[in-house]
Amino acid sequence: MNKQPIGMFDSGVGGTSIWKEIHELMPNENTIYLADSLNAPYGEKSEKDILELSIKNTEILLSRNCKIIVVACNTATTNAIDYLRANYKVPFIGIEPAIKPAALKSKSKTVGILATKGTLSSSLFHSTSENHASGIKVVEREGTGLVNLIETGKVLSLETKKLLEEYLDPMIAAGIDYLVLGCTHYPYLIPILKEMLPDNVKIIDSGEAVALQTKAVLEQHKLLNLSMGKSNLEFYTNAEIAVLSSFVDDKSTTVSFLDF
Ligand code: DGL
């Protein structure tokens, strides 16, 4: 039995899409979530800056006794996870665009991927694409501007719809049958994406797989919390509490400001 919390961080509110999957799968686990909204978007920053921010977030979570860290951000994972794994003792779970399942399932052999500039330009993303999507046409688009709109609560706005039209049109014209969401903010766009995409295009993200992997790694390290008590669910933001609260509409959570 291990009651230490699972630590998670993202450049902002997006990683709450991963937190939800993890909490649903393991409701008795204590969690600490850090939303570094002050520094969002990470996707437009240099690899060095993304690494420094990832180190800062990791050290805060470790100072709060986390037993495992979920990097709930594709951009931070693809730019920093190798360093984090090599330099800290706790296990790290990362999230990468689900290019492999999309490539395996695609009938049109054409898949779209929407992710940040930081993710699409990373060497980890390139090697994953080369290893798992050979023979598949991958239509990549940077989702510039989308994270900012989501961070300011404009998820279902006209502005968001216009940007998405610009990003999706070339993918639809190329004949994609899978759209990979390569940023943890983007699952919040699924309602609009469903309206905009042709019926045969399926949307795929990595949230559930990350939750299953987190459970498997906790089990493997004998770190699961087997107690049945009520879990302690802490959320911290260095920006607007109201914005983060609107993404975690779970009554049992506490959302606080933290200067980090
Ligand atoms: N949620 C982050 C990701 O998964 C957003 C990146 C950003 O802040 O640009 O990539």
Side-chain angles (χ1 to χ4, degrees):
M1 168 143 42
N2 188 310
K3 292 186 175 177
Q4 285 171 263
I6 297 176
M8 292 178 214
F9 74 83
D10 179 41
S11 62
V13 298
T16 56
S17 63
I18 306 300
W19 176 83
K20 283 174 189 160
E21 299 278 359
I22 288 179
H23 181 58
E24 199 178 306
L25 187 66
M26 298 176 281
N28 54 328
E29 289 289 343
N30 299 314
T31 62
I32 299 183
Y33 181 95
L34 282 188
D36 190 12
S37 293
L38 193 64
N39 292 300
Y42 280 12
E44 303 294 314
K45 295 190 188 303
S46 67
E47 190 177 348
K48 180 173 168 281
D49 286 349
I50 297 166
L51 180 60
E52 279 171 11
L53 291 166
S54 301
I55 291 171
K56 175 193 69 167
N57 298 331
T58 296
E59 295 203 341
I60 295 169
L61 291 169
L62 291 178
S63 74
R64 288 170 185 252
N65 206 23
C66 291
K67 60 185 171 184
I68 188 169
I69 292 182
V70 179
V71 181
C73 174
N74 293 259
T75 312
T77 299
T78 50
N79 287 277
I81 202 149
D82 290 345
Y83 178 92
L84 298 175
R85 285 190 172 131
N87 286 278
Y88 297 96
K89 287 203 182 83
V90 292
F92 283 85
I93 306 294
I95 178 160
E96 282 186 72
I99 199 111
K100 183 180 175 184
L104 284 172
K105 288 178 188 162
S106 173
K107 291 199 175 69
S108 68
K109 303 285 173 220
T110 310
V111 303
I113 163 150
L114 192 61
T116 68
K117 186 175 170 190
T119 294
L120 294 175
S121 62
S122 68
S123 48
L124 188 57
F125 173 73
H126 285 161
S127 60
T128 307
S129 280
E130 271 161 33
N131 293 338
H132 300 299
S134 63
I136 300 282
K137 182 171 178 197
V138 181
V139 188
E140 297 175 12
R141 279 312 295 248
E142 291 171 11
T144 312
L146 293 172
V147 166
N148 275 338
L149 287 166
I150 296 164
E151 286 289 325
T152 47
K154 294 185 196 143
V155 179
L156 304 175
S157 66
L158 197 62
E159 234 173 315
T160 307
K161 205 171 169 201
K162 279 200 177 131
L163 276 186
L164 282 174
E165 248 159 34
E166 185 187 326
Y167 301 152
L168 297 180
D169 281 353
M171 299 187 188
I172 296 169
I176 62 162
D177 59 356
Y178 276 86
L179 171 65
V180 178
L181 302 183
C183 170
T184 55
H185 283 71
Y186 299 166
Y188 290 110
L189 302 173
I190 288 174
I192 332 185
L193 288 168
K194 281 195 171 148
E195 277 173 26
M196 299 174 74
L197 289 166
D199 289 346
N200 70 314
V201 179
K202 294 184 187 65
I203 301 169
I204 187 162
D205 72 74
S206 318
E208 193 188 351
V210 168
L212 291 168
Q213 176 68 3
T214 306
K215 187 172 184 192
V217 172
L218 285 173
E219 240 160 17
Q220 189 190 324
H221 288 78
K222 304 208 175 349
L223 288 173
L224 277 175
N225 181 2
L226 303 171
S227 76
M228 284 303 169
K230 194 175 167 303
S231 51
N232 188 33
L233 310 169
E234 297 172 24
F235 286 76
Y236 296 97
T237 174
N238 50 14
E240 297 289 323
I241 293 180
V243 174
L244 181 56
S245 301
S246 70
F247 284 86
V248 273
D249 48 5
D250 185 320
K251 297 260 181 309
S252 54
T253 61
T254 56
V255 183
S256 318
F257 177 80
L258 185 71
D259 191 8
F260 67 100

